[in-house]
Amino acid sequence: MVASSKTPAVELEVGDHTVRLSNPDRVYFSERGETKRDLADYYLSVGPGIVNALRDRPCMLHRFPKGVDGQKVHQKRLPAGAPPWVQTVRLHFPRYGLHADELCVTQLADVIWAVQMSTVEFHPWNSRRADTEKPDEWRIDLDPMPECGFDTVRRAAATTHEILDELGAVGWPKTSGGAGLHVYVRIAPEWGFKDVRRGALAFAREVERRLPDEVTTTWWRRDRSPKDLFVDYNQNARDHTIAAAYSVRGNPRGTVSAPLTWDEIADAEPQDFTIATMPDRFARLGDLHAGIDDAVFDFRPLLDWAERDERSGKDVPPEPEDGSA
């Protein structure tokens, strides 16, 4: 008989639950050779941060059963075989006439179980299960086009911070895990996705007014300069998600969407934040987004800006569909 080459599963004690991790030595990140067990250990090391980012939100999973060099699976529905303590939230997708029960993280064991199911990236909605149709998180996505350098992203971030200060809003920045930056602002869950997107567009246009040679809100990607930075207000549309704070990204380096202080942005290099470097950073600094729920911004001024822009003749682009923006 040929001996099995598979590494025995390990059992991880996570809070009140035991999570079985199969194939713990499977390499997931080819640049340095981190394994599935390393991925689980990373999420354990930033546990309070990742749970804070995901708590009570519908969450789409990006799964890589063979590691990040293999095929990616976009998983809306909770994978089969979940233990009874893993919770879900039911969502309706009118475009397809379908429902899906998505993962709804309430504890760190949920995250580690998702890692067992080969999840690398966690992409939560900007609303919570108490009312999934009313976002409580306004997301500012500073998305550089292919020839746009990170210095431009830094300048756009500084302008974003300036405008937020003028509004009296507290922004919580993080790297995207790729080439851009995200800024989150907590809002009261009083408006639907269309209104939040309208307000986000009005804010994006203000950034564009202040940096007209570098920033764009142009709807069609083909009409943007490759050197532009796009302020992607569409990330506030229904069922549009981006990687959570502390989520690992599915690339060979294992970069992380890393919370930053505003002062760090001037010198930050996104590629420096990885599953190898973030545990020590988290141990030193804790969760830099820990206070986000205590800084709720009154979103109405941005709806006033949206109405002003619409009265002046600026249109609201149609709701995006897959691949439309």
Side-chain angles (χ1 to χ4, degrees):
M1 181 177 7
V2 178
S4 172
S5 61
K6 285 188 176 181
T7 305
V10 297
E11 292 190 342
L12 303 177
E13 299 300 322
V14 188
D16 295 331
H17 303 291
T18 301
V19 181
R20 181 179 182 274
L21 197 73
S22 62
N23 301 313
D25 288 345
R26 173 172 286 161
V27 173
Y28 266 45
F29 303 96
S30 54
E31 183 169 314
R32 289 180 307 271
E34 288 97 346
T35 64
K36 184 178 182 181
R37 174 64 188 267
D38 292 326
L39 178 64
D41 286 343
Y42 162 75
Y43 279 120
L44 289 170
S45 76
V46 298
I50 188 65
V51 172
N52 187 43
L54 299 176
R55 191 186 305 278
D56 288 332
R57 300 186 184 281
C59 187
M60 185 170 73
L61 308 177
H62 289 196
R63 298 172 55 231
F64 294 82
K66 301 298 182 182
V68 300
D69 292 333
Q71 182 180 6
K72 175 164 65 172
V73 178
H74 293 261
Q75 186 99 30
K76 289 185 183 291
R77 290 179 173 82
L78 188 75
W85 41 263
V86 172
Q87 299 187 35
T88 62
V89 57
R90 171 154 285 206
L91 301 170
H92 178 53
F93 297 94
R95 182 182 173 199
Y96 305 103
L98 297 173
H99 289 83
D101 295 316
E102 291 197 8
L103 174 67
C104 187
V105 166
T106 62
Q107 58 188 329
L108 183 55
D110 302 332
V111 175
I112 304 306
W113 176 80
V115 171
Q116 157 58 15
M117 302 307 293
S118 69
T119 300
V120 172
E121 300 189 21
F122 293 84
H123 287 239
W125 280 41
N126 61 337
S127 60
R128 303 196 198 232
R129 63 176 170 179
D131 189 343
T132 59
E133 300 306 310
K134 297 289 180 64
D136 74 335
E137 194 164 77
W138 159 34
R139 295 173 173 176
I140 304 165
D141 181 5
L142 305 180
D143 183 14
M145 298 295 286
E147 297 177 21
C148 176
F150 199 68
D151 282 345
T152 300
V153 180
R154 292 188 179 101
R155 286 190 290 274
T159 299
T160 295
H161 193 195
E162 175 184 273
I163 300 169
L164 290 174
D165 279 351
E166 292 169 10
L167 287 165
V170 179
W172 303 82
K174 66 183 183 71
T175 66
S176 67
L181 283 173
H182 303 151
V183 181
Y184 288 177
V185 180
R186 185 64 78 243
I187 60 175
E190 297 175 0
W191 296 275
F193 290 101
K194 289 185 178 180
D195 277 337
V196 173
R197 179 174 176 265
R198 285 175 62 234
L201 171 57
F203 183 91
R205 283 173 168 158
E206 183 60 26
V207 179
E208 183 180 29
R209 287 185 191 101
R210 299 190 189 193
L211 293 173
D213 296 328
E214 298 181 294
V215 168
T216 185
T217 58
T218 298
W219 169 248
W220 294 107
R221 185 180 182 89
R222 63 174 178 263
D223 294 333
R224 302 174 202 148
S225 165
K227 296 181 179 179
D228 281 342
L229 182 140
F230 179 49
V231 183
D232 190 357
Y233 51 90
N234 294 312
Q235 298 299 357
N236 297 278
R238 189 181 191 274
D239 194 29
H240 275 232
T241 61
I242 50 182
Y246 300 103
S247 176
V248 182
R249 303 308 305 271
N251 57 58
R253 187 172 178 80
T255 58
V256 170
S257 184
L260 304 173
T261 66
W262 284 106
D263 289 342
E264 287 182 299
I265 293 174
D267 299 313
E269 296 293 342
Q271 293 299 305
D272 290 344
F273 302 98
T274 71
I275 64 170
T277 64
M278 283 294 290
D280 284 346
R281 176 178 168 84
F282 193 89
R284 286 187 292 108
L285 302 178
D287 179 11
L288 293 181
H289 285 191
I292 189 170
D293 288 332
D294 299 323
V296 180
F297 169 63
D298 183 347
F299 198 69
R300 284 174 290 188
L302 287 181
L303 298 179
D304 293 340
W305 286 12
E307 291 175 7
R308 174 202 64 194
D309 289 348
E310 291 158 16
R311 285 195 304 269
S312 71
K314 292 187 179 294
D315 63 345
V316 178
E319 290 291 311
E321 296 181 356
D322 291 346
S324 65

